């Protein structure tokens, strides 16, 4: 058995030949359920992806989006992390200002840092890009200060008592499945110099501190897709700590469809084809709940026929290919489809019964 992986250009030619011989008059079909890679060889490639695939070209540069889009560093200095919500992974970050520095972690987390500011407030942009030419930026501002590292960068006068509890706590922004995060904000009470952030998976109990902030917002970058969280905040100064703020709720719903199966091998024995694959683990994809093999039927204008269904944990399937051979080319066109409640992705495979070769 000989295996062959074609380039996109060669695969497109083979797909077009198979489509002409087995798909009838080639009328366009607006129903996404019946549109398959072999019916549109000039499309966005057969890897699923985000609509561009490898067949595009000439498109505008991708916009990299980050959350939050503006950060504030206190006068005494510090660092703030920003999550990439679209267009990642990023590969470079830079600014023309020497007072701010930046670092990248994992391609989806940007950390900006600054030392003490002894002068007026200042600001600049940090620009990022990725390996495909995508671009984006965030605004970095630093509070004014005159006391160097001893300047708290917030309200220097804590008053004579502990601050009141923060009010108006709410979720102001969220990340993506590729970069999960949750940004909460609140109204700052007078005299507060810092805040304690608490989180629980139960609204009524189980709160534990997950971080601190020197200004009235906090980015929780430890959330997980599919979980529900509850947040509360306390204000603090040199005189004491306030009661809890109101509670806000955040549910990070998983709306990702599965990615296309990664074909590892395909073999033919007698009348049967056996195809094997792995499920993509890219964090932009969700988990499949089921799957199927769908074959183009040349006796019915190339209409797809489901010949096998299987569970989410299945990574191989065998089916009888004989009824679906295109008489003029000897080709068998089929897809491995992975499905969940949010959609599906497909990977196309072609078997040439005359040369006993697979293309995928």
């Amino acid at each position: 058995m000989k295996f062959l992986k074609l380039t996109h250009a060669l695969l497109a030619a083979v797909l077009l030949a198979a489509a002409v011989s087995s798909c009838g008059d080639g009328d366009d079909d607006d129903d996404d359920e019946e549109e398959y890679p072999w019916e549109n060889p000039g499309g966005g490639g057969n890897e699923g992806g985000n609509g561009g695939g490898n067949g595009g070209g000439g498109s505008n540069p991708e916009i990299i989006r980050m959350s939050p889009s503006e950060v504030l560093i206190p006068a005494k200095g510090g660092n703030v992390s920003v999550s990439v919500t679209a267009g990642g992974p990023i590969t470079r970050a830079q600014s023309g200002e020497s007072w701010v520095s930046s670092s990248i972690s994992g391609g989806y987390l940007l950390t900006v840092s600054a030392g003490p500011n002894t002068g007026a407030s200042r600001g600049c942009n940090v620009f990022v890009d990725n390996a495909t030419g995508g671009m984006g930026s965030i605004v970095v501002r630093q509070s004014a200060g005159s006391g160097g590292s001893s300047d708290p960068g917030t309200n220097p006068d804590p008053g004579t008592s502990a601050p009141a509890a923060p009010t108006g706590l709410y979720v102001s922004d969220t990340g993506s499945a590729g970069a999960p995060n949750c940004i909460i904000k609140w109204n700052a009470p007078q005299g507060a110099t810092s805040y304690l952030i608490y989180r629980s998976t139960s609204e009524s109990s189980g709160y534990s501190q997950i971080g601190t902030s020197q200004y009235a917002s906090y980015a929780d970058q430890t959330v997980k897709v599919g979980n529900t969280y509850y947040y509360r905040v306390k204000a603090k100064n040199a005189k004491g700590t306030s009661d809890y703020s109101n509670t806000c709720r955040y549910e990070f719903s998983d709306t990702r469809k599965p990615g296309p199966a990664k074909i590892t091998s395909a073999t033919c024995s007698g009348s049967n084809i056996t195809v094997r694959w792995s499920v993509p683990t890219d964090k932009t994809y969700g988990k499949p709940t089921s799957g199927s093999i769908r074959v183009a039927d040349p006796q019915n204008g190339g209409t797809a026929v489901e010949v096998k269904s299987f569970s989410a944990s299945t990574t191989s399937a065998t089916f009888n290919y004989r009824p679906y051979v295109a008489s003029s080319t000897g080709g068998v066109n089929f897809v491995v489809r992975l499905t969940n409640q949010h959609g599906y992705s497909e990977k196309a495979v072609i078997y040439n019964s005359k040369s006993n070769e697979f293309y995928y």
Side-chain angles (χ1 to χ4, degrees), residues 14-229:
V14 175
L15 294 176
L16 180 59
V20 170
S21 65
S22 63
C23 292
D25 59 7
D27 288 341
D28 290 339
D29 188 350
D30 292 332
D31 186 354
D32 289 343
E33 288 290 329
E34 298 301 326
E35 184 175 326
Y36 292 91
W38 57 78
E39 294 177 330
N40 184 21
N46 55 15
E47 286 294 336
N50 293 323
N54 294 319
S59 60
N60 293 327
E62 183 178 20
I63 297 176
I64 299 174
R65 302 187 186 280
M66 293 174 286
S67 181
S69 59
E70 180 172 329
V71 297
L72 175 66
I73 298 176
K76 71 175 184 178
N79 60 74
V80 179
S81 293
V82 177
S83 294
V84 177
T85 61
I90 57 174
T91 55
R92 183 174 57 173
Q94 59 183 355
S95 170
E97 301 291 339
S98 60
W99 60 267
V100 63
S101 61
S102 58
S103 62
I104 300 169
S105 176
Y108 289 90
L109 188 66
L110 172 69
T111 300
V112 293
S113 306
N117 179 21
T118 58
S121 298
R122 52 189 177 181
C124 70
N125 285 81
V126 173
F127 298 92
V128 299
D129 56 22
N130 61 23
T132 61
M135 298 175 289
S137 67
I138 62 166
V139 177
V140 179
R141 303 188 188 279
Q142 187 173 26
S143 303
S146 59
S149 59
S150 63
D151 186 346
T154 55
N155 188 343
D157 180 12
T160 59
S161 62
T167 60
L169 181 67
Y170 71 103
V171 176
S172 69
D173 198 5
T174 61
S176 66
N181 69 74
C182 169
I183 299 174
I184 57 175
K185 292 184 178 180
W186 55 89
N187 300 321
Q190 185 175 4
T193 57
S194 64
Y195 302 92
L196 310 178
I197 293 84
Y198 297 83
R199 187 184 74 186
S200 176
T201 55
S202 170
E203 183 175 11
S204 59
S205 63
Y207 288 86
S208 60
Q209 185 179 341
I210 60 170
T212 61
S213 177
Q214 291 181 310
Y215 45 98
S217 66
Y218 180 80
D220 182 2
Q221 295 163 341
T222 64
V223 296
K224 295 182 179 180
V225 175
N227 288 358
T228 300
Y229 299 97

Side-chain angles (χ1 to χ4, degrees), residues 188-321:
Q190 185 175 4
T193 57
S194 64
Y195 302 92
L196 310 178
I197 293 84
Y198 297 83
R199 187 184 74 186
S200 176
T201 55
S202 170
E203 183 175 11
S204 59
S205 63
Y207 288 86
S208 60
Q209 185 179 341
I210 60 170
T212 61
S213 177
Q214 291 181 310
Y215 45 98
S217 66
Y218 180 80
D220 182 2
Q221 295 163 341
T222 64
V223 296
K224 295 182 179 180
V225 175
N227 288 358
T228 300
Y229 299 97
Y230 299 89
Y231 294 90
R232 293 175 178 175
V233 175
K234 290 183 177 181
K236 187 178 180 180
N237 63 19
K239 301 298 182 180
T241 302
S242 75
D243 292 331
Y244 281 121
S245 68
N246 61 296
T247 301
C248 69
R249 178 182 182 274
Y250 173 55
E251 180 179 359
F252 205 139
S253 300
D254 188 355
T255 59
R256 300 170 296 171
K257 70 177 185 179
K262 297 181 179 180
I263 306 300
T264 56
S265 69
T267 56
C268 179
S269 177
S271 299
N272 293 325
I273 287 175
T274 298
V275 60
R276 304 168 184 84
W277 64 88
S278 63
V279 177
T281 57
D282 188 307
K283 58 187 176 181
T284 59
Y285 298 129
K287 294 181 179 179
T289 56
S290 63
S292 61
I293 302 292
R294 299 170 68 85
V295 186
D297 185 359
Q299 307 304 319
N300 193 20
T303 300
V305 177
E306 184 178 298
V307 296
K308 200 81 173 182
S309 61
F310 43 82
S311 67
S313 60
T314 302
T315 56
S316 67
T318 300
F319 66 95
N320 182 357
Y321 74 90

